[in-house]
Amino acid sequence: MQTKKIALLSVLGFTALLMGVGIWMWNKPHRNVQEEEPAFVGKTDAFSQFVQSANDSVKASLLNQVVELQGQVAEIERSGDSTVALRLLSAEADVLCSFIGKSAVELPELRPNQAVQLRGIFTGYEAGLPGFDMLPTITLNRCALHQSE
Amino acid sequence: MKNLIAALLTLSIATSGMAQKFTTKTGQVSFFSGTALEDISAVNKQALSAVDLSKGEVAFVVQILGFEFEKALMQDHFNENYMHSDKFPRATFNGSFQKAAPLTWPGSHQVELLGKLEIHGVSKEIRVPATLAVKGEEAQLNLKFSIKLADYGIKNDKVKNISETIEITVKTSMKKS
């Protein structure tokens, strides 16, 4: 009888544990760029030059990594309450940072030419589109302001 | 006076033949999958988009890692298990308008695009309806179409929580470049 009780409790406990892990996995939060160690820290132009000169395997290893950039705001565009698109000044490339959710809501008013330090997840580099003159584009996602002056 | 009119006419013809290029780097690409198990949607607001109205050419590029999901777990599965975004980091479309109408005319045009859509490293020719609206220095190009995952080598055989056909919506507001 005692053995049966222990077995039943073990099964119930294991099931509860599995359910708990499942619920946690399903609701796990999105990545927080402030809590991750950046793979690159530096100025916007330095990052643009680094990405453009890097070979494909280096670029690929940088994908989905957090980077921290110091630069100046070129342009800022809010769409709705929870999305902000910010472009950093760079002669080398258009560096586009997308702020989503809380980091967008809490983003203070920024002006063109204002110095900023931000972190974001590097999502890609594009040299341009065939037949169209465009500056290369670097995209960062889930950006958050790290420090602004 | 005749010379002046002739010069103006020549200038007007020359100008109309010049490139009518519109571009943006903040195009919006979203997709939706609906099954009995769950609905899944995601959006990417950093699509590179360009049209050349004088040549009738259209191009889009979107980074797969830039798609945002409501749930972080869905986003991880999308990149790791389905799209393999480390191997195939982007999706592209290169095509042209299939309508000889003067697309540079201001107003809204129902058009058709024919071109190659590359997703997950697989390129396929597609034909999709689109709406093009040109007003001064701006052009809007919107598309809505469906693709079959199997056509692009995207396997959905583990958990049937993704529909076999995905609806894709593209919204762009481009400026003359």
Side-chain angles (χ1 to χ4, degrees), chain A residues 25-30 64 83 94 96 98 100 123 125-126 129 131-132 134-135 137 139-142, chain B residues 21 23 25 38 45-46 48 50-52 61 63 65-66 68-76 90:
Chain A
M25 288 283 284
W26 180 247
N27 291 303
K28 78 168 185 171
H30 279 278
N64 216 14
T83 310
D94 281 332
L96 306 178
S98 174
I100 303 162
T123 56
Y125 167 79
E126 212 49 65
L129 291 169
F132 295 90
M134 280 179 151
L135 264 183
T137 310
T139 47
L140 304 181
N141 211 357
R142 294 219 153 255
Chain B
K21 293 183 178 180
T23 60
K25 293 188 171 184
E38 62 182 333
K45 295 182 177 178
Q46 293 179 323
L48 267 65
V51 297
D52 184 338
V61 179
Q63 305 297 331
L65 276 171
E68 275 296 325
F69 290 70
E70 185 195 347
K71 298 278 182 194
L73 186 68
M74 281 181 185
Q75 197 161 323
D76 290 349
R90 60 177 66 80

Side-chain angles (χ1 to χ4, degrees), chain A residues 11-44:
Chain A
V11 169
L12 282 173
F14 187 66
T15 309
L17 184 72
L18 276 183
M19 281 176 69
V21 170
I23 290 168
W24 181 84
M25 288 283 284
W26 180 247
N27 291 303
K28 78 168 185 171
H30 279 278
R31 289 168 66 184
N32 183 347
V33 294
Q34 304 283 27
E35 291 172 356
E36 292 186 36
E37 193 64 32
F40 180 97
V41 179
K43 294 198 161 74
T44 310

Side-chain angles (χ1 to χ4, degrees), chain B residues 54-69:
Chain B
S54 57
K55 289 184 180 171
E57 292 173 350
V58 184
F60 297 108
V61 179
V62 66
Q63 305 297 331
I64 301 300
L65 276 171
F67 278 98
E68 275 296 325
F69 290 70

Side-chain angles (χ1 to χ4, degrees), chain B residues 58-163:
Chain B
V58 184
F60 297 108
V61 179
V62 66
Q63 305 297 331
I64 301 300
L65 276 171
F67 278 98
E68 275 296 325
F69 290 70
E70 185 195 347
K71 298 278 182 194
L73 186 68
M74 281 181 185
Q75 197 161 323
D76 290 349
H77 284 176
F78 170 76
N79 283 300
E80 291 163 16
N81 302 341
Y82 295 97
M83 298 301 288
H84 306 106
S85 55
D86 53 337
K87 280 187 196 161
F88 312 110
R90 60 177 66 80
T92 62
F93 175 81
N94 287 293
S96 56
F97 293 104
Q98 295 300 293
K99 189 179 175 187
L103 297 171
T104 50
W105 280 11
S108 186
H109 308 274
Q110 295 299 318
V111 292
E112 195 174 48
L113 295 175
L114 176 68
K116 286 197 168 170
L117 177 68
E118 186 177 316
I119 301 175
H120 197 239
V122 178
S123 182
K124 275 191 77 77
E125 192 165 89
I126 59 164
R127 188 182 282 271
V128 293
T131 307
L132 172 73
V134 182
K135 192 178 178 186
E137 300 291 299
E138 290 186 7
Q140 292 184 341
L141 181 64
N142 298 329
L143 294 75
K144 197 172 210 176
F145 60 100
S146 296
I147 59 157
K148 284 184 179 173
L149 290 183
D151 288 348
Y152 294 88
I154 301 166
K155 289 181 181 168
N156 181 26
D157 47 10
K158 285 180 186 166
V159 189
K160 296 284 182 192
N161 60 338
I162 301 175
S163 59

Side-chain angles (χ1 to χ4, degrees), chain A residues 54-97:
Chain A
N55 61 36
D56 286 348
S57 67
V58 173
K59 274 195 198 94
S61 68
L62 203 57
L63 273 177
N64 216 14
Q65 302 290 316
V66 171
V67 296
E68 184 177 315
L69 302 182
Q70 297 123 27
Q72 285 177 285
V73 176
E75 201 177 6
I76 186 158
E77 187 184 323
R78 285 182 185 270
S79 58
D81 289 335
S82 59
T83 310
V84 177
L86 184 144
R87 183 166 64 85
L88 288 174
L89 274 178
S90 170
E92 306 291 331
D94 281 332
V95 181
L96 306 178
C97 314

